[in-house]
Amino acid sequence: MNSDSPKSRSSVFNDINKAPNRAMIRAMGITDEDFNKPFVGIASTWSEVTPCNMHIDELARKAKEGTLNGGGTPFIFNTITVSDGISMGTEGIRFSLPSREVIADSIETVMGAQSYDGVVAIGGCDKNMPGCMIAIGRLNLPAVFVYGGTIRAGKVDGKDIDIVSAFEAVGKYNNGDIDREQLHKVECHACPGAGSCGGMYTANTMASAIEAMGMSLPGSSSNPAETKEKLQDCIDAGKAVMNLLSKGITPKDIMTKKAFENAITVVMALGGSTNAVLHLLALAHTIDVELELDDFERIRKKVPHIADLKPSGKYVMEDLSLIGGVPGVMKLLLDKGLLHGDCLTVTGQTIEENLKEIVPLKEGQEIISFENPKRETGPLVVLRGNLAPEGALAKMSGLKIKEITGPARVFDTEKDATDAVLNNKINPGDVIVIRYVGPKGGPGMAEMLSITAIVVGKGLGEKVGLITDGRFSGGTHGLVVGHISPEAQVGGPIGLIQEGDLITINSETQELTVNVSPEKFAERAKDWTPPEQNLKGYLSKYARLVSSASKGAITD
């Protein structure tokens, strides 16, 4: 049976008094020989609720195969996932960010209850990826994360489309720019199979960040979902976790402050999602690494946005994979002196060692270019001012308009704001305000691809501003600012804005202000009370526990 090594949690079953425990384990086909090997959990996020995860059952079996080949005894278990794309624009979106905590808690629970020695976690959609990583950080057991992979591009009339195309098509249809038949055609072809949304949206952003951090195998973040390379990623991950177990390498050895800086660097270079800031802050807290919004700002100022990827560009992750993927980008960044090459990874080697044989991407090609970057500095900009004392986030990539000052159009729900846009009640120059949708106020900090895509589809993308204490999908683009902290529900200034107040968004000066004096704010605050929420169940618990977005909306 297992040696009594302090590294082996499953050795608890060696005790003669644990015969009943072993009896139950034997019912699953485990033999005397299997008891002599480390027990490894394969945390699968397979489900049929989203295309991002519908293929992960096969990937989990491949990870199990790799673990067996590496000398381990693997056990597959499942956790939940929800689909942001499906719940977007509905009341269900309130459960999206909270699901991150459920996923982390459930993986930690199974790993703890079953006394497993290591874990391979496989995620495919926006929240189960950081959820897996938060659990990995809490457990601090040898671990490898595998990304389920990106979806193929859809096609309509010879042009590549994706899920964001479908959201924007709603605005175009409402505007009379396309007919019902064309809208239906986009709907039917936007998502052609398994995998996560194809652009540099939240899933592909987080996959790239996790690989840059050293917690995924090289290349696995950019290998598409339905490929033999993705199946091999999972087999290799099973073998890799056994190597980590033999060497005693744990996530805290890998996820250092410098590793987080590598992740932020890659996110900035690729033009990643604002959600990466939220999730990396939460993960850093979990792993006891000091990370703040100012760290993102520091790195942003020295890293150009070099990738022409959707939503602010032309290409998708599948295209990037064909020219060298994330390893090729990382080699280019390393050669430019922008990555810490000495950071340890799940291969047991450093970033520099992993990239030694990788050919860096050419600088002048279409998808990746240092010579002609989309932006001289990173696109994820922290804004501050009297509307966001703790900070707010904007993704300023691919925008011609860098600032706007306009009258506030105030809405306390996303639905009311969406109705106003669809009914042509929003004018060029307006600044839409959507509040009471933050971590506590939503609760759950709703993602707002639906309304922002409709704004773009209506031709208002660079003609209006939008600010919120909620957040945005990685597919959102336009003059939009989210994560405003403190949020309205806890008395933040965004809750005191009135219709017609002049709001300024300026990405160059990083300003988010309203022309309301401190005295006027104080006067308004006297009459302000938080709205009743009347919550029950999980959202009630979440609202009581969750922190500010500026701290990653953590609950522990």
Side-chain angles (χ1 to χ4, degrees), residues 314-549:
K314 178 180 178 182
Y315 298 95
V316 293
M317 182 63 101
E318 183 183 19
D319 297 315
L320 182 62
S321 74
L322 295 174
I323 63 165
V326 170
V329 175
M330 289 178 65
K331 182 61 178 286
L332 185 58
L333 293 169
L334 181 67
D335 290 350
K336 294 287 185 181
L338 294 172
L339 285 184
H340 302 292
D342 59 343
C343 287
L344 187 63
T345 75
V346 291
T347 66
Q349 296 183 307
T350 64
I351 291 283
E352 188 169 9
E353 289 169 333
N354 288 345
L355 297 176
K356 187 175 181 180
E357 304 301 323
I358 297 294
V359 178
L361 301 185
K362 295 178 183 177
E363 294 184 34
Q365 60 194 346
E366 281 187 301
I367 301 176
I368 301 291
S369 177
F370 258 97
E371 296 169 352
N372 185 30
K374 293 188 71 66
R375 185 181 164 95
E376 295 293 335
T377 57
L380 303 184
V381 180
V382 177
L383 288 81
R384 287 188 168 90
N386 67 347
L387 270 181
E390 293 178 8
L393 275 177
K395 184 175 179 179
M396 298 295 180
S397 55
L399 289 175
K400 296 175 184 176
I401 305 300
K402 308 295 183 184
E403 62 93 19
I404 186 173
T405 296
R409 304 298 308 280
V410 183
F411 304 93
D412 289 349
T413 70
E414 181 186 0
K415 183 183 183 304
D416 288 345
T418 301
D419 289 345
V421 175
L422 290 173
N423 292 320
N424 301 314
K425 294 181 178 179
I426 300 298
N427 303 309
D430 286 348
V431 178
I432 302 166
V433 179
I434 306 176
R435 62 191 182 185
Y436 296 109
V437 291
K440 287 184 180 292
M445 204 180 181
E447 212 167 61
M448 297 192 186
L449 175 57
S450 181
I451 183 170
T452 57
I454 290 170
V455 166
V456 171
K458 293 277 286 183
L460 294 170
E462 295 201 18
K463 296 178 182 178
V464 300
L466 189 154
I467 71 170
T468 179
D469 51 8
R471 60 194 176 89
F472 300 113
S473 160
T476 292
H477 57 113
L479 200 60
V480 298
V481 181
H483 300 217
I484 291 176
S485 302
E487 61 174 296
Q489 188 69 28
V490 299
I494 187 174
L496 303 176
I497 297 173
Q498 294 180 359
E499 188 84 4
D501 288 346
L502 283 179
I503 293 173
T504 295
I505 305 168
N506 190 317
S507 67
E508 300 298 314
T509 61
Q510 297 176 244
E511 173 189 356
L512 181 62
T513 57
V514 61
N515 70 333
V516 176
S517 68
E519 293 77 18
K520 180 64 72 172
F521 262 145
E523 185 179 325
R524 291 180 183 179
K526 291 177 183 177
D527 298 323
W528 177 87
T529 54
E532 283 286 329
Q533 291 184 289
N534 297 317
L535 299 170
K536 293 182 180 179
Y538 178 52
L539 289 181
S540 175
K541 297 180 210 175
Y542 182 83
R544 290 197 301 272
L545 293 172
V546 70
S547 75
S548 166

Side-chain angles (χ1 to χ4, degrees), residues 60 79 279 340:
T79 184
H279 298 321
H340 302 292

